[in-house]
Amino acid sequence: MEEKTGILADIIYHNKENGYTIAIVENEETQEQFTAVGCLPGADRGRTLTFTGAWKIHPTYGEQFAFQSYKEEIPHTPEGIEGFLASGLLRGIGKKTAAAIVMKFGEDSLRIIEEESERLMEVSGIGRVKAKSIGEAFKAHREFAKIVLYFQQYGISTGYAMKLYKVYGSDTIRAIEENPYQLVDDIFGIGFRKADRIAEKLGMDPHSPHRIYSAILYTLWTYINEGHTFVPQKQFCELTGQLLDINAEEVYEMLIQMAFEGDIHIENVEGRAVVYLMAYYLAEQKVCRKLIELEGAILKPIHSKVDSLIDLTERQTGILLTENQRQAVKASLENGVNVITGGPGTGKTTIINTIMNIFKHSNLKTAIAAPTGRAAKRITETSGNNASTIHRLLEYYYSEGEDSMRFGKNEETPLDYDVIIIDEASMIDIILMKGLLEAIPSGTRLILVGDADQLPSVGAGNVLRDIINSEIIPSVKLTEIFRQASESLIVVNAHKINQGDYPDCNEKDKDFFLLRRKTEKEMLNTIQDLCSRRLPSYFKGFDAVRDVQVLTPVRKGNIGSINLNRELQKILNPPDPNRNEKGFSHRLFREGDKVMQIKNNYQLEWKRIEDFSDGQGVFNGDCGFIETIDTDFNQVTVVYEESKYVKYDFSQLDELELAYAITVHKSQGSEFPIVIMPISWFPPMLATRNLLYTAITRAKEAVILVGSESKMHAMIDNNRIIQRDSGLAPKLKEFLICESI
């Protein structure tokens, strides 16, 4: 590390949100001038700073000094003080006022401003209010400088120091010294491990209740992020004890205290003690009670006999239902809650259309929704019925007071429908299911449609499987593949894979291919060649970016999504003088790039140009295209759903990733014309039958697997379904047992 001192002579770029700055720095003594790059709040010309960092070579802009920390050198000469005050750093002081203050107080000017700001009224043109404002501004500046230096010793960047100061203000240092673990809750990007390192440097007792409490929440969230709604208590205490290097009994004692305070819940599930984060326990309880309530409610009657209505619909549509399908339709009409599950080509869309027609004939108001915008759009296109996302159906909004997403439709203001159909129900996690059920009044029919053999939801819970496995909610499984679907090897092979059989590949005039490649480098080269040359020449009107989706089980490695995106961008959207681009962290975004939102942002505003409608909320997994990168206003415009425009500030680009390649988990609920997937060695927990099944069922026109046939067979043989600890099925079963006693 090297230190460089100088005056900020010019500011080339400064982002007020995160402090990222590019500045020209001059050293008057050595007559040296250099470019400094790093996080610098309040980047104002005239400030004298000492930077700590290292030189780097930028491919376009040449040599730059990348600083990781800085400290302000407060000037002591009248000339230096005047330049500092005139820099614009302190609101209310311009060049004339700065000169007048220094003329009056000389070298004592800064002390007067900080300690006796009322004396500034001795300067012509400065009244009481302005004097007080200048004093407060200078104190805030010195205060923040002290905080930046304080946190630099603990490895906390200036950017994080800015976030801390916004939250805690002048109490920042005191608050962190009292309990550094509150950083985990208050500052996005600081997790338990970083807070724990800070606490260690501060000399906090490793047995501190603050530490154990924070570690318990951290470990619980680790399990929740893996899809579990609870964790076995004994295993949990031992794991958390190992994390903290303390005895498991100390963890248990804190668990009991947290249970009394309502932060967590402890209970027995199927004979073992388990630990819930309270929100997930309450969600399971609510979902269980509401499902039972809806299933047992009195329903609005159908105007005619069910069989007659089905016959009428068959005559109107010209589609005859199988006995299996008729059973599914009847169950949906007769029960308060019904589940319809089945693989591709088994007629789920036909059943939805039939049910919708019957309810329309009976004047029953019906809504249809799906967990994601992509899934809802696909339902609208395939069924002709307008579908929305579950979030939009529930009229989600962001509550500033609670700093969280809320639903406008709930128990107090329920949905006004007689029937609600949810497609792609395998994607629903326990929290979203709770929100949905709370908004459905008793007497409303709820129909859940999905493929239980798909990967489970990204969020915690195993809702669809648990409902089916409980056997308390009626469910019908569709098993027959229809003639048109059976002509597609995608559909046939999906069912073969799901049953543990190996697929048929490379048949003439078919849509399922395996290109055998031995090494990952060969796989990568083949995928690039498919996208850039072979597919465009084979499929007329083919768009290599919009019509193909590369799916992969992993993020890292040569054929992980990160590297695949980097390599595909080079050939599908290469550098172009006419296309702006913006680097951010390890990513490079370019106009025309296919991108994905990777976190839920309920506040992000969007606008539709076609009808001037607007709204808020862009969700994890939404895909779009970069239309413009505006370097003057530091904004990136992304178009979602071909007409929904969203503007991102450069500081928000950590919410976007390239999406030429995405993980299979991120593809749930989507459908793409062509799917390409590398097949290599993957961790056993990912190289599973249902992951491969999920991937190939995303394709409409063609599946191209690139890699090892033996590895593909190994995936099919690995019928390991990742076990999720969730309590919904046991709770529903307990109710069934209680009812039968």
Side-chain angles (χ1 to χ4, degrees), residues 191-217:
F192 170 78
R193 294 183 182 276
K194 180 174 280 190
D196 201 38
R197 289 194 295 270
I198 295 169
E200 184 180 10
K201 290 179 179 179
L202 288 171
M204 178 167 279
D205 181 358
H207 300 273
S208 162
H210 289 311
R211 183 171 188 249
I212 301 173
Y213 179 94
S214 183
I216 286 173
L217 293 181

Side-chain angles (χ1 to χ4, degrees), residues 16 31 42 51 108 138 162 177 202 249 255 285 354 379 526 614 629 653 675 706:
K16 291 183 180 180
Q31 299 299 305
F51 302 98
D108 208 24
F138 185 69
M162 283 180 66
E177 287 180 340
L202 288 171
E249 279 73 23
L255 274 181
Q285 291 289 96
T354 301
I379 295 165
T526 299
D614 57 16
I629 297 177
L653 293 182
V675 164
V706 181

Side-chain angles (χ1 to χ4, degrees), residues 217-235:
L217 293 181
Y218 167 76
T219 309
L220 272 175
W221 275 110
T222 300
Y223 277 93
I224 289 168
N225 290 334
E226 291 174 356
H228 308 288
T229 60
F230 66 72
V231 56
Q233 179 184 291
K234 186 175 184 296
Q235 173 186 335

Side-chain angles (χ1 to χ4, degrees), residues 11 46 62 82 93 170 206 248 267 328 365 455 476 479 500 550 585 698:
I11 307 301
E82 183 176 336
I93 300 182
S170 59
E267 71 169 18
K365 191 176 179 183
L455 290 171
V476 179
T479 55
V550 178
S585 185
R698 301 304 90 204

Side-chain angles (χ1 to χ4, degrees), residues 337-503:
V337 183
N338 186 55
V339 176
I340 302 171
T341 182
T346 56
K348 294 192 295 294
T349 301
T350 297
I351 289 176
I352 289 174
N353 289 341
T354 301
I355 292 169
M356 292 286 285
N357 286 336
I358 290 174
F359 287 136
K360 185 177 181 180
H361 183 270
S362 299
N363 295 320
L364 296 183
K365 191 176 179 183
T366 305
I368 183 166
T372 68
R374 291 170 294 167
K377 183 179 179 182
R378 185 163 56 83
I379 295 165
T380 301
E381 292 171 346
T382 57
S383 72
N385 296 300
N386 287 327
S388 72
T389 63
I390 297 174
H391 288 85
R392 185 170 294 179
L393 178 70
L394 298 178
E395 298 180 5
Y396 72 90
Y397 67 95
Y398 182 79
S399 171
E400 292 188 7
E402 300 182 38
D403 191 27
S404 65
M405 180 199 70
R406 311 296 296 172
F407 291 127
K409 294 298 182 182
N410 48 46
E411 288 177 314
E412 287 74 33
T413 55
L415 291 164
D416 182 23
Y417 292 99
D418 301 308
V419 184
I420 294 173
I421 302 172
I422 303 296
D423 199 7
E424 295 287 358
S426 64
M427 298 177 64
I428 302 178
D429 61 48
I430 193 68
I431 297 297
L432 181 57
M433 191 65 174
K434 169 182 173 286
L436 173 65
L437 292 179
E438 282 180 330
I440 300 178
S442 182
T444 301
R445 289 174 173 84
L446 174 63
I447 302 165
L448 301 173
V449 183
D451 186 347
D453 294 317
Q454 298 276 2
L455 290 171
S457 59
V458 175
N462 211 4
V463 174
L464 186 63
R465 280 181 179 270
D466 280 351
I467 291 173
I468 294 170
N469 292 339
S470 74
E471 298 182 349
I472 194 172
I473 302 298
S475 65
V476 179
K477 183 170 185 177
L478 305 174
T479 55
E480 184 177 343
I481 305 174
F482 291 93
R483 185 173 60 83
Q484 185 178 1
S486 67
E487 295 172 359
S488 165
L489 273 186
I490 296 174
V491 174
V492 172
N493 284 337
H495 286 271
K496 293 184 75 170
I497 288 169
N498 201 30
Q499 294 163 9
D501 299 326
Y502 300 149

Side-chain angles (χ1 to χ4, degrees), residues 5-26:
T5 300
I7 298 172
L8 296 184
D10 194 13
I11 307 301
I12 297 174
Y13 173 77
H14 176 68
N15 186 310
K16 291 183 180 180
E17 290 296 319
N18 59 22
Y20 181 74
T21 302
I22 303 173
I24 302 299
V25 181
E26 293 180 350

